[in-house]
Amino acid sequence: MKSLVIIPAYNEEKSILKTVNDIKEHAKSFDYVIVNDCSMDKTLELCREHGLCVLNLPVNLGIGGAVQTGYLYAYKNGYDYAVQFDGDGQHDASYLEKMRDYMKDRDVDLLIGSRFLEKEGFQSSGLRRFGIRYFSHLIKLLTGVRITDPTSGMRMANRSVMEIYANCYPKDYPEPESAVAILNVGKKIEEYPVKMREREEGVSSISPIRSVYYMIKVTLAILVEALRK
Amino acid sequence: MMTIKIQIIIGVCLVIGLAAIVNMIRRRRLELKYALSWLIAIVFVLVLDCFPTLLTRISRMLGIWAPVNMIFFLGFCFSLLIIFTLTVTLSRMSERVRRLSQAVALNEEKIEKLLKEKEEKTT
């Protein structure tokens, strides 16, 4: 059984090595691949220097395009499980093997690492939590499935979901939308309680100015996705 | 009726636009395929501008009182149509760019892996 960690990286020179070491140490049975989304800092040089496995995108595609590249790679190379894992030190690799076992045992198609199931670790700021709860309710309303952390970027897919994502994945702010897309084709999504850290380096892709765009775009995307059913 | 003054102003603008587009196509700065809709729009409006009676008749038919409004209205509709077509093209293009870059990234990784294997074999 082959498993892959997909690490989308955009300007992560300060944390990428730490992330890879975390995976090598705490998730030994996983391979990893870094997707360098045209970083402007030394991320690529650093990866090459240390001989890390890296997919180098020639133009900046944004988080959605980068993650999709990882799923494409995983699918083409015959991996059974692929997990998205942030390169900025927010996620903890020691959960990965437990998550995979859980998926296998319960025959889950997509397993999302949730901060809010056990409410431990970094819980995000108040306003952001409010947004997350709103998306959670919206998804529940449209699909009947409760996802407590729909914006979590830590999610593990089996081959069937990998194939769907390799063909079609939203461009920006993809997490809630891609979960609904999977639910609509009858896949089974569950959540696994994880602790996340506050990001060590880099800034969130969601700045205050963009958050309005974020809310509107993701809401519409979820509604459109529900219409596709 | 349109005054002869606005008729001439519109006509001159259209001819300048037409000349500019044809010139750009000639110098290969613009692809004929994408310029076609502009050319058709300009020629159409130009015909109406040159034959005001035709214009008057059509605008009466549509219930538009001042024929010049009909020129503006038509121009506006054409522009919207062209802009929308561009948005569709843009969506398709960005999807293609995405696919291409992903293919490039995967191939590059494959090449590097092969080169490394080869190097290991020779040493």
Side-chain angles (χ1 to χ4, degrees):
Chain A
M1 191 185 56
K2 288 166 73 183
S3 318
L4 178 77
V5 184
I6 300 164
I7 312 166
Y10 178 67
N11 295 345
E12 306 282 11
E13 61 176 11
K14 292 195 178 105
S15 53
I16 192 73
L17 290 179
K18 220 189 284 177
T19 305
V20 171
N21 284 335
D22 186 25
I23 291 165
K24 280 181 177 165
E25 211 170 301
H26 296 111
K28 288 198 176 68
S29 58
F30 279 76
D31 295 338
Y32 71 91
V33 66
I34 298 161
V35 185
N36 175 40
D37 192 12
C38 246
S39 294
M40 290 178 298
D41 64 0
K42 296 227 157 32
T43 305
L44 180 67
E45 287 85 340
L46 217 60
C47 292
R48 295 258 196 257
E49 197 181 299
H50 288 79
L52 306 182
C53 178
V54 59
L55 297 172
N56 188 38
L57 289 170
V59 294
N60 181 276
L61 293 184
I63 179 69
V67 167
Q68 190 182 36
T69 314
Y71 282 121
L72 210 58
Y73 178 86
Y75 188 71
K76 284 195 169 173
N77 287 287
Y79 282 97
D80 302 293
Y81 294 95
V83 59
Q84 280 168 245
F85 195 84
D86 282 2
D88 57 11
Q90 280 193 94
H91 297 161
D92 185 343
S94 55
Y95 289 108
L96 295 181
E97 283 173 348
K98 282 182 252 172
M99 280 175 76
R100 188 185 52 201
D101 292 342
Y102 182 92
M103 267 186 96
K104 222 170 15 175
D105 289 346
R106 311 206 28 177
D107 215 15
V108 176
D109 296 305
L110 184 75
L111 188 63
I112 300 175
S114 168
R115 286 163 281 187
F116 306 121
L117 273 182
E118 289 183 350
K119 297 200 163 46
E120 281 184 273
F122 178 58
Q123 291 285 298
S124 197
S125 63
L127 205 61
R128 209 163 279 180
R129 239 185 1 253
F130 172 79
I132 292 168
R133 210 171 297 149
Y134 159 73
F135 287 131
S136 179
H137 284 304
L138 188 64
I139 292 174
K140 168 88 177 150
L141 191 72
L142 290 171
T143 66
V145 178
R146 156 81 63 212
I147 299 175
T148 61
D149 199 354
T151 62
S152 165
M154 188 178 183
R155 38 183 64 194
M156 193 178 285
N158 68 4
R159 258 189 99 68
S160 70
V161 171
M162 234 184 273
E163 184 183 7
I164 295 170
Y165 283 170
N167 283 325
C168 196
Y169 199 74
K171 275 194 186 108
D172 51 354
Y173 313 127
E175 287 86 9
E177 190 184 339
S178 59
V180 175
I182 287 302
L183 284 173
N184 276 346
V185 290
K187 298 291 175 193
K188 188 171 162 196
I189 296 187
E190 283 197 25
E191 289 186 296
Y192 192 87
V194 297
K195 277 186 227 172
M196 286 189 194
R197 292 181 283 254
E198 200 164 354
R199 75 175 60 239
E200 289 158 9
E201 298 295 340
V203 284
S204 168
S205 55
I206 306 164
S207 66
I209 316 135
R210 287 200 197 141
S211 56
V212 174
Y213 167 76
Y214 177 86
M215 295 300 286
I216 295 172
K217 194 255 162 182
V218 175
T219 302
L220 285 177
I222 291 174
L223 289 175
V224 169
E225 203 50 68
L227 281 179
R228 287 195 178 123
K229 201 167 14 174
Chain B
M1 272 307 287
M2 285 199 299
T3 60
I4 193 79
K5 199 169 167 192
I6 190 70
Q7 227 176 313
I8 291 173
I9 293 175
I10 293 176
V12 168
C13 288
L14 289 173
V15 169
I16 291 175
L18 195 63
I21 289 178
V22 170
N23 191 36
M24 280 179 86
I25 296 173
R26 199 177 56 86
R27 289 165 52 199
R28 296 183 202 289
R29 294 250 311 275
L30 205 60
E31 221 174 296
L32 183 62
K33 183 183 164 192
Y34 296 108
L36 210 59
S37 46
W38 289 107
L39 291 178
I40 292 171
I42 288 179
V43 169
F44 189 70
V45 178
L46 199 59
V47 167
L48 289 181
D49 184 53
C50 291
F51 302 102
T53 40
L54 181 69
L55 181 65
T56 315
R57 212 175 299 159
I58 300 175
S59 34
R60 284 287 138 79
M61 218 164 66
L62 291 172
I64 299 169
W65 204 245
V68 69
N69 277 345
M70 163 113 152
I71 287 206
F72 293 144
F73 175 69
L74 272 183
F76 180 69
C77 286
F78 261 124
S79 314
L80 276 188
L81 197 71
I82 292 169
I83 293 170
F84 186 72
T85 322
L86 284 181
T87 316
V88 173
T89 311
L90 182 71
S91 302
R92 207 177 47 215
M93 286 299 165
S94 71
E95 175 64 19
R96 287 182 183 180
V97 167
R98 174 152 77 146
R99 287 287 168 207
L100 272 176
S101 355
Q102 288 173 340
V104 168
L106 291 187
N107 285 338
E108 195 180 300
E109 194 267 350
K110 217 180 276 176
I111 290 171
E112 236 155 71
K113 209 185 267 171
L114 286 174
L115 282 178
K116 215 184 268 175
E117 267 170 36
K118 202 176 151 198
E119 219 170 86
E120 271 162 20
K121 254 181 220 164
T122 48
T123 50

